[in-house]
Amino acid sequence: MLLVLTQINDLATVNQLINIEDRLSELVEVIVDNEQIHTLIARKKPQLIVNGRQFQIALDWYNQMPPYLFPNPLPLSKEVFLGTIFGLLGNLEKAWNYLEGNSLLTEWDTMIRILNSYPIDFEIIKNQKIISDFDQYRYLHNLAIAYNYAYFEKHNIPIIKQSYLQAIERATSHEYKLFTTKHFANFLLDIGQATEAEKMLKEALQITNREDVKASLQFDLVKALMSKLAVPYQVELVTELKKLLWECLQFYEKNQIWAEAGILLIDASFIANIDNSFSESLGYISKAIKYLESEDLTELVGEAYMRKGTLLYSWSKNGNPQFYRPALEAFQEALRTFTKEQAPETFAEIHHQLGILYAEMPDEDKKRSVWAALSSSSFKEALAFYTKEAYPYQYATICNNYANAITHYPQMKKGDNYQKALDLYKEALDIRTAQDFPFERALTLINFLEASWLVGNENDTFYQERYEEMLEKAMEIKNLVSDEKLIAEANRHLEDLKRLEKKVVLHLLK
């Protein structure tokens, strides 16, 4: 529903215009400006503000539409007012009918192109009439937005930055300045400059007291800080995020803005998990799914189920095997959103996780072969997308994890799981070179050594070639990394290999 705020003197005119279209009043709520205006703005996201014979489109702090700025003010005529209403309601055919022949039509066309990342005619923006200071600011802001969001084979980052900074400098009010700053910060996040985005957002928060504006900026600040999280997690950063998330969530839940609340709860779940607060983390992610489902945000619901699956799996690994099946169910639920046809990469990543889960699923022995078959099938789905040529790093990771999974499969009479695992480890090692991925290579080498001890030997004979290969790989680990745990593992294998050599020598001397 679209909200129109008006003065008592203009109420009759507004209603008369809305009633021109049959049943349009069912989609538009008209409210007379009063002392509770800011509460209404926060709760209902108004989009039109009428004042006399003019109106304006309110700034959108909730990302409901592209941040393109229309002329301000607009004349309160039948064509412009109803054309704007239908445009905001998404009925573009009606909007076009009302705005035909009006210069505002080209503005709407530009905004729709930005929304869909279509190529746009920049001359339309550059030819906008500049009469007032607001026109100058609007021109610079829209230019930045167009450069940022319109289709380009390669975006010119310096030009986009310059356009945003010029728009911020020419903003005609604090609200406009904050609005452009918000979208500049989001651009900086998109190009990986989280620290600069964080600085801008924190400075912006110092100059506003409006609840809805503050919450919108805090929402983006959460994204900036979350992008900086890395192991080992900084206590100060986690503490700051907890406080920020709590403040933000209070606003969005109080005002029943469920989409933003759901997104924040996904982040809150991750932070709680860092603190090993499992029940709290699970509660957050479950509530996030509920909120996002209520808004029919299918893709975000799928992402939340993936996060829930990851969370449950991590806790199942921490001595809670009862969470394996709920984790499996969460990933399977995510597959309902991320299909192979519509989201092949995410589909492949989910199957990667399922391959690991199926292999580790605790169950009675007679069912283990079924889980093994499902695991193998999921890994093959993942590798069908993450090929060695197109995605070498991911390919190596999946090969390593597939090999680990195979060592959990029940041993077949006519097969050798461990030999299959060794072949997959070798595939991973082809990518995980000492020069490019020393730590990952060391992990795979450890896995390779573990499987090598268990691979079948015909007639229990000693294989000199395998012995030398294991010796070489164990020594390589010590030269690759300084990690004490990995070096200790390598030394353990070296000691076992020495004992094996002595045993073989003694056997030969007899």
Side-chain angles (χ1 to χ4, degrees):
M1 176 170 281
L2 186 146
L3 184 65
V4 176
L5 302 177
T6 185
Q7 304 294 322
I8 189 67
N9 295 336
D10 304 315
L11 182 59
T13 302
V14 169
N15 283 329
Q16 184 180 8
L17 287 169
I18 290 172
N19 289 331
I20 290 173
E21 285 283 344
D22 186 41
R23 303 187 70 177
L24 181 58
S25 59
E26 297 175 11
L27 301 175
V28 179
E29 182 176 1
V30 181
I31 293 180
V32 176
D33 190 355
N34 57 41
E35 59 186 16
Q36 295 181 336
I37 182 66
H38 291 302
T39 302
L40 292 166
I41 284 175
R43 183 168 59 84
K44 295 194 176 182
K45 311 173 191 175
Q47 291 171 302
L48 295 182
I49 301 173
V50 177
N51 187 5
R53 299 300 301 172
Q54 300 173 326
F55 75 97
Q56 69 180 84
I57 302 174
L59 292 181
D60 171 25
W61 293 99
Y62 302 96
N63 304 314
Q64 300 296 299
M65 54 189 285
Y68 183 87
L69 293 177
F70 286 87
N72 179 20
L74 292 164
L76 191 65
S77 65
K78 178 182 75 173
E79 291 76 18
V80 174
F81 188 63
L82 292 179
T84 301
I85 285 177
F86 280 113
L88 293 172
L89 290 173
N91 189 335
L92 299 181
E93 183 179 353
K94 291 283 268 186
W96 264 229
N97 289 340
Y98 273 106
L99 295 172
E100 188 175 2
N102 191 298
S103 61
L104 202 60
L105 186 59
T106 59
E107 305 260 6
W108 272 101
D109 181 68
T110 300
M111 193 197 78
I112 297 301
R113 288 178 175 276
I114 291 172
L115 174 64
N116 294 290
S117 295
Y118 293 157
I120 67 171
D121 184 355
F122 277 82
E123 292 305 312
I124 293 175
I125 297 175
K126 293 177 179 179
N127 289 335
Q128 290 175 358
K129 290 182 180 179
I130 299 177
I131 300 172
S132 65
D133 288 342
F134 173 77
D135 292 334
Q136 179 65 38
Y137 158 69
R138 185 175 85 92
Y139 159 71
L140 291 168
H141 173 91
N142 286 344
L143 197 61
I145 296 300
Y147 280 133
N148 190 166
Y149 293 105
Y151 171 78
F152 289 100
E153 289 188 5
K154 185 177 181 180
H155 284 78
N156 190 321
I157 290 175
I159 286 181
I160 297 173
K161 277 189 169 186
Q162 182 184 22
S163 299
Y164 271 121
L165 290 170
Q166 287 176 339
I168 292 169
E169 185 180 347
R170 297 299 296 268
T172 54
S173 71
H174 277 323
E175 188 177 11
Y176 284 126
K177 180 178 181 179
L178 293 172
F179 188 69
T180 305
T181 297
K182 169 186 169 67
H183 293 286
F184 185 27
N186 273 286
F187 167 71
L188 293 172
L189 285 172
D190 288 342
I191 61 172
Q193 297 183 9
T195 301
E196 190 176 345
E198 175 192 354
K199 181 175 181 291
M200 291 192 70
L201 289 165
K202 286 182 175 178
E203 289 174 354
L205 282 164
Q206 299 302 311
I207 60 173
T208 183
N209 291 316
R210 254 185 63 177
E211 261 195 319
D212 56 333
V213 176
K214 183 178 179 182
S216 182
L217 294 171
Q218 287 178 322
F219 182 87
D220 294 326
L221 182 55
V222 167
K223 289 191 291 185
L225 296 179
M226 287 293 295
S227 71
K228 295 176 67 177
L229 279 176
V231 179
Y233 300 113
Q234 298 176 4
V235 176
E236 298 82 1
L237 180 57
V238 172
T239 302
E240 183 179 4
L241 269 165
K242 283 182 184 176
K243 181 175 181 296
L244 192 60
L245 281 163
W246 177 249
E247 288 181 15
C248 252
L249 273 169
Q250 280 188 305
F251 173 83
Y252 287 113
E253 289 187 323
K254 178 183 72 175
N255 292 289
Q256 301 176 21
I257 303 170
W258 304 125
E260 285 80 354
I263 293 168
L264 290 167
L265 283 164
I266 293 175
D267 292 334
S269 173
F270 184 79
I271 296 299
N273 192 40
I274 288 175
D275 272 356
N276 292 316
S277 301
F278 172 70
S279 59
E280 186 180 356
S281 180
L282 185 58
Y284 286 146
I285 200 66
S286 298
K287 190 188 285 189
I289 291 170
K290 177 183 174 183
Y291 287 169
L292 296 170
E293 284 180 336
S294 73
E295 296 289 299
D296 292 325
L297 297 169
T298 306
E299 188 166 331
L300 287 174
V301 171
E303 290 177 10
Y305 272 114
M306 286 182 66
R307 184 70 64 87
K308 185 176 181 179
T310 302
L311 168 68
L312 289 165
Y313 173 66
S314 68
W315 280 83
S316 67
K317 294 285 286 182
N318 281 339
N320 298 281
Q322 69 272 24
F323 293 126
Y324 272 105
R325 287 182 187 271
L328 174 63
E329 290 166 3
F331 281 120
Q332 289 174 332
E333 192 67 35
L335 279 177
R336 295 175 63 180
T337 298
F338 300 111
T339 64
K340 188 173 186 177
E341 294 72 27
Q342 295 180 333
E345 184 168 2
T346 309
F347 175 85
E349 180 52 36
I350 293 172
H351 271 290
H352 178 199
Q353 299 305 318
L354 284 172
I356 298 169
L357 256 171
Y358 285 133
E360 298 177 10
M361 184 70 68
D363 210 333
E364 55 190 75
D365 289 344
K366 64 181 181 180
K367 292 183 180 179
R368 294 290 301 138
S369 59
V370 175
W371 292 119
L374 290 170
S375 172
S376 181
S377 177
S378 281
F379 275 117
K380 288 174 182 176
E381 282 281 10
L383 288 172
F385 179 84
Y386 289 113
T387 62
K388 190 173 187 177
E389 296 74 25
Y391 300 94
Y393 184 85
Q394 292 88 340
Y395 174 83
T397 301
I398 296 169
C399 283
N400 181 79
N401 292 339
Y402 189 6
N404 290 343
I406 285 177
T407 64
H408 288 86
Y409 293 171
Q411 190 72 11
M412 304 299 291
K413 289 182 179 180
K414 294 184 179 181
D416 191 335
N417 290 355
Y418 301 107
Q419 184 57 56
K420 293 176 185 176
L422 290 179
D423 292 340
L424 282 164
Y425 287 134
K426 287 177 180 178
E427 282 290 305
L429 289 170
D430 282 347
I431 306 297
R432 294 179 164 184
T433 62
Q435 181 178 356
D436 295 330
F437 307 109
F439 186 77
E440 290 92 335
R441 182 174 179 82
L443 290 175
T444 301
L445 288 171
I446 289 290
N447 294 334
F448 184 94
L449 289 169
E450 293 289 350
S452 295
W453 288 107
L454 300 168
V455 69
N457 288 345
E458 294 180 11
N459 304 319
D460 290 332
T461 53
F462 174 72
Y463 280 90
Q464 182 71 29
E465 185 178 340
R466 185 179 302 148
Y467 168 82
E468 290 175 357
E469 183 180 35
M470 291 173 68
L471 192 65
E472 178 188 341
K473 284 178 166 45
M475 290 298 297
E476 183 185 355
I477 293 168
K478 298 180 67 173
N479 296 322
L480 272 177
V481 293
S482 57
D483 184 271
E484 292 181 2
K485 186 177 179 181
L486 289 176
I487 290 174
E489 282 289 299
N491 285 331
R492 178 176 65 83
H493 283 290
L494 287 168
E495 290 296 322
D496 288 343
L497 286 167
K498 286 180 182 178
R499 280 192 289 270
L500 175 64
E501 185 181 27
K502 288 180 181 177
K503 182 179 177 181
V504 171
V505 170
L506 289 172
H507 177 75
L508 292 174
L509 290 174
K510 288 181 179 179

